[in-house]
Amino acid sequence: MPRLILNPTLSSDIPVKGIVFDMDGTLCLPQTWMFANMRAALGIAKSVDILDHVYSLEIAEQKVANEKIRQIERTAMVEMKPQPGLDELMSFLERKGVLKTICTRNFETPVNHLLSTFLPEKLFHPIVTREFKPPKPSPAGILHIAKHWNIDPKNMIMVGDSVDDMLAGHHAGCATILLESDVNGHLKEAPETDAVVPRLDYIINLIEEGIDIPVRSTNISDAEVKQLD
């Protein structure tokens, strides 16, 4: 089984060239109340995907629904706190020349708030927010990033805390790292999860030692391929 590793030493080793991060619950501490409030505001059940519901509405209704969830996200933004190990990991990646960015289902304003507040001198590009369609769990956003970076997804890692993150990374052909929380323990043994860490700076040691990963290919529909053009 090949290793995804920062400094390859074996012929089978794959170098880490870029890392994509989810935002909510990954770069900042989880605010799970946010999603319950969104569903209440939209009048939908827990089993219904929030963005799928919004995109299913007529244009005028979409605008109203989007503003409802954005208002909740703005409230959460004010209470945002960084994950332990955030600055240590990002500083390490910059020293090592590893590309990094964000792929989130949130909108642009909270992303900009997180970066300006907690990572003001760190470079993240290109940032994918929910304005990019289709959103996670589709791999399209990650593949868009890979194309912009001009690197193969097999040289990338998707770091997140949800099933959407693991699915998106897995189907893009990336390695996946699950950031452990009180509510995602069921994902530790999921076939889409390659490694698990309790805090962000543990990723430093993980990529220095290497992640054993199965060989996988990109899994994306023709419609999603067109989105990358």
Side-chain angles (χ1 to χ4, degrees), residues 123 170 173 215:
L123 176 64
H170 178 82
V215 176

Side-chain angles (χ1 to χ4, degrees), residues 30 32 42 47 50 59 76 81 92 96 107 110 114 120 132 146 159 187-188 205:
T32 52
L42 297 174
S47 60
I50 293 168
I59 297 300
K81 295 181 180 179
F92 173 83
K96 298 298 182 179
F107 78 113
L114 179 137
F132 182 98
V159 180
L187 296 176
K188 291 181 183 180
N205 186 62

Side-chain angles (χ1 to χ4, degrees), residues 83-116:
Q83 281 279 6
L86 175 65
D87 188 65
E88 292 87 345
L89 174 59
M90 299 308 163
S91 295
F92 173 83
L93 296 178
E94 291 205 338
R95 289 196 305 272
K96 298 298 182 179
V98 177
L99 298 170
K100 61 190 183 309
T101 196
I102 295 169
C103 182
T104 177
R105 287 163 56 101
N106 210 317
F107 78 113
E108 184 178 356
T109 300
V111 175
N112 291 338
H113 174 79
L114 179 137
L115 295 179
S116 63

